[in-house]
Amino acid sequence: MANDARFVRADRQQTRWDFIDLEGLLPSDHRARIVVAFVGQLDLSRLYEAIKAREGEPGRPPPDPAVPPPDPAVPPPDPAVLMALWLYATIEGVGSARQLERLAQSEVAYRWIAGGVPLNYHGLADFRVAHLEALDRLLTESVTALIEAGVISLSEIAVDGTKVRANAGRGSFKTSDKLSRIEAAVERRLGELKAEVANDPEASSRRKRAAQERAAREVKERAQRARAAVEKIRAEKEKRARRHKADEARKKSEPSASLSDPEARNMRFADGAVRPGYNVQIAGTPTEGVIVSVEVTDRRNDAGLAGPMVDDIEQRYGVAPTDLLVDTNYATADDIAALAARDGHPVAVYAPQPAERNDVKPETLARRARQRAKEPDSVRAWRDRMDSSAGQQVYRRRKLIERINAHLKNRGFGILPVRGLIKAKAVALWHALANNLMVAHRLAAA
């Protein structure tokens, strides 16, 4: 309930909403009540410990003079309130901290969850991305509860990748030379600001000057991270050139990285357009639609990611899936062999065989036959499995996981409101928790 001690501090100040019966305005079967009940069942002790440990943590940066300090008379919001607000906002497709702050002041459901606790978008935005480990643990614990209740099983897992647009424009991508010029300009600007202070300490207000210096430092730091990203991309390009010399020779563009989000990469999306983005890998139970693992990478393709995903599932739940359903080229022949040879828990891969041309020279067909003859038994078993009607029937269930991606995109996961791999994964975990909450409610009702 909204007046639970976990959700409303007893020492909070009265607001004008205290004179409105929010309890009576919210229907008994409203989604907000489902979210609050779910959060009330979670073990948030580690989240509270993490927040307490961050307070006064050695090595934390000093308060920013450009940002007004919080009012000591206003108590901080309970993490359970913030957890419920972000889960409900994610379900409703709200991804902006500013918008969430406004909704918590104007919409009945959000006000009911907040319980009159003062909020600001800075705190909301920080909370969303500050507790990655806690969110990851909550995903594991909530899925484990569904497994123990017999609601889902990990015997059959489907994996699908989806591209998500980064919070960066194509114009933000700069080459190494351009980044060098930006860094030099920032250095000159920082020198000018220091000279202003030395020549006339009252030339500008302390807060304005601090804001200017902070902005310049942030640009410099982003430029340095972008430069490191460019060097990483160049090294990857050189590595690919050793294996695919002709293909890489046709790519004449100079490596570049985004100044807005140095970890984002230009990727080809499902509509054929190339945009800055991230590759989000989602593993779930295809029939029920429960997400059991999520990972965010800067990889442009999914090849070779099957093994790490199975390892993550086993690390979370102590058991690997029996059957893994993936798309074409997601698992290479080496992946299929390695997964089948896992100690104690072999994994059978269900993935279509890559298309092969038959209108080729006899020498090509002969070389292909020789290569097939050298394949391990597990790869041959995979080919036989996918040639059978039973194998095809199992693989058809992989398409069900595409519903999860559709639901996530409908809730605003198509464009990230944050920047960086770590923050992107935090947002992905919020969506995974929100998805599983609604799936669990649907299964319980059924």
Side-chain angles (χ1 to χ4, degrees):
M1 299 296 291
N3 59 357
D4 193 302
R6 292 168 296 185
F7 283 72
V8 179
R9 295 177 61 105
D11 57 346
R12 71 174 175 83
Q13 296 179 340
Q14 261 195 339
T15 69
R16 61 193 179 96
W17 303 121
D18 292 331
F19 303 99
I20 298 177
D21 182 16
L22 297 176
E23 184 70 30
L25 292 176
L26 200 68
S28 59
D29 59 348
H30 197 277
R31 279 182 175 179
R33 296 185 184 274
I34 299 171
V35 171
V36 167
F38 173 75
V39 173
Q41 296 171 0
L42 296 176
D43 179 8
L44 301 181
S45 58
R46 297 196 180 187
L47 179 60
Y48 284 92
E49 292 172 2
I51 293 174
K52 185 176 181 180
R54 287 172 62 88
E55 296 176 357
E57 179 181 292
R60 285 177 61 81
D64 192 337
V67 178
D71 186 352
V74 179
D78 192 310
V81 173
L82 302 179
M83 173 70 68
L85 279 171
W86 270 121
L87 278 176
Y88 182 69
T90 302
I91 292 171
E92 295 296 305
V94 175
S96 166
R98 291 178 184 269
Q99 184 182 3
L100 180 53
E101 179 188 9
R102 292 193 295 269
L103 290 170
Q105 298 170 355
S106 60
E107 295 293 327
V108 172
Y110 291 93
R111 283 160 35 201
W112 180 82
I113 295 174
V117 174
L119 300 167
N120 66 79
Y121 72 89
H122 283 296
L124 290 168
D126 290 344
F127 181 84
R128 173 170 54 182
V129 298
H131 307 289
L132 182 67
E133 291 184 5
L135 292 174
D136 199 61
R137 189 179 297 110
L138 287 174
L139 174 64
T140 301
E141 292 173 352
S142 59
V143 171
T144 300
L146 294 176
I147 297 172
E148 293 176 349
V151 176
I152 64 170
S153 168
L154 295 182
S155 60
E156 184 176 275
I157 294 296
V159 181
D160 192 30
T162 184
K163 304 292 176 55
V164 179
R165 291 182 64 177
N167 194 347
R170 294 191 64 180
S172 69
F173 279 74
K174 312 295 182 184
T175 62
S176 182
D177 290 342
K178 180 64 175 178
L179 290 170
S180 296
R181 292 195 294 270
I182 291 173
E183 287 179 291
V186 171
E187 285 291 349
R188 288 194 299 270
R189 180 55 182 157
L190 286 172
E192 291 170 359
L193 289 171
K194 292 178 181 178
E196 287 181 12
V197 176
N199 297 331
D200 185 3
E202 301 301 326
S204 59
S205 68
R206 178 173 177 269
R207 179 170 294 177
K208 180 180 178 181
R209 187 171 63 251
Q212 292 174 336
E213 291 181 359
R214 176 169 56 89
R217 286 195 302 270
E218 288 177 354
V219 172
K220 182 179 178 180
E221 291 171 1
R222 290 202 305 269
Q224 290 172 343
R225 286 189 283 121
R227 180 189 292 278
V230 168
E231 295 305 319
K232 179 181 177 183
I233 294 170
R234 181 177 284 111
E236 293 173 354
K237 183 180 179 68
E238 292 173 354
K239 183 178 180 180
R240 289 194 302 270
R242 290 194 291 269
R243 292 180 298 175
H244 310 285
K245 188 174 183 179
D247 292 340
E248 292 301 318
R250 288 193 292 268
K251 301 176 184 179
K252 298 181 180 180
S253 60
E254 182 72 14
S256 61
S258 170
L259 191 61
S260 301
D261 186 354
E263 292 180 296
R265 296 287 188 93
N266 277 320
M267 300 181 177
R268 190 169 300 281
F269 281 64
D271 61 358
V274 176
R275 306 184 182 94
Y278 288 99
N279 189 349
V280 181
Q281 301 295 313
I282 295 173
T285 57
T287 304
E288 298 85 3
V290 173
I291 297 175
V292 301
S293 179
V294 60
E295 190 56 72
V296 181
T297 77
D298 60 358
R299 290 272 301 273
R300 293 183 175 90
N301 58 67
D302 301 332
L305 295 178
M309 184 60 78
V310 171
D311 292 340
D312 183 69
I313 293 172
E314 186 172 37
Q315 183 178 0
R316 287 176 182 271
Y317 310 107
V319 61
T322 303
D323 298 333
L324 185 70
L325 285 53
V326 296
D327 202 0
T328 309
N329 297 325
Y330 193 97
T332 64
D334 290 340
D335 293 333
I336 294 170
L339 289 170
R342 287 173 59 90
D343 291 338
H345 202 121
V347 178
V349 174
Y350 288 79
Q353 300 182 54
E356 295 177 329
R357 292 177 53 187
N358 292 321
D359 56 337
V360 294
K361 296 179 181 179
E363 295 83 357
T364 302
L365 293 174
R367 183 169 59 253
R368 184 185 301 170
R370 290 194 297 271
Q371 292 173 345
R372 292 281 179 86
K374 297 178 182 178
E375 289 180 340
D377 292 341
S378 55
V379 176
R380 296 180 188 177
W382 160 67
R383 295 189 186 279
D384 293 340
R385 188 161 57 240
M386 298 312 300
D387 285 338
S388 68
S389 59
Q392 290 295 322
Q393 184 175 357
V394 171
Y395 179 72
R396 288 191 193 100
R397 291 196 286 272
R398 195 207 72 87
K399 288 187 174 293
L400 297 177
I401 198 174
E402 295 178 1
R403 299 176 306 174
I404 297 178
N405 283 331
H407 290 323
L408 299 188
K409 296 294 178 67
N410 289 337
R411 292 176 182 144
F413 194 51
I415 303 177
L416 288 169
V418 297
R419 291 168 176 159
L421 271 170
I422 294 177
K423 293 181 179 180
K425 183 172 181 180
V427 172
L429 286 168
W430 280 108
H431 278 276
L433 288 168
N435 172 83
N436 291 355
L437 163 59
M438 298 312 299
V439 170
H441 177 70
R442 171 176 56 80
L443 295 175

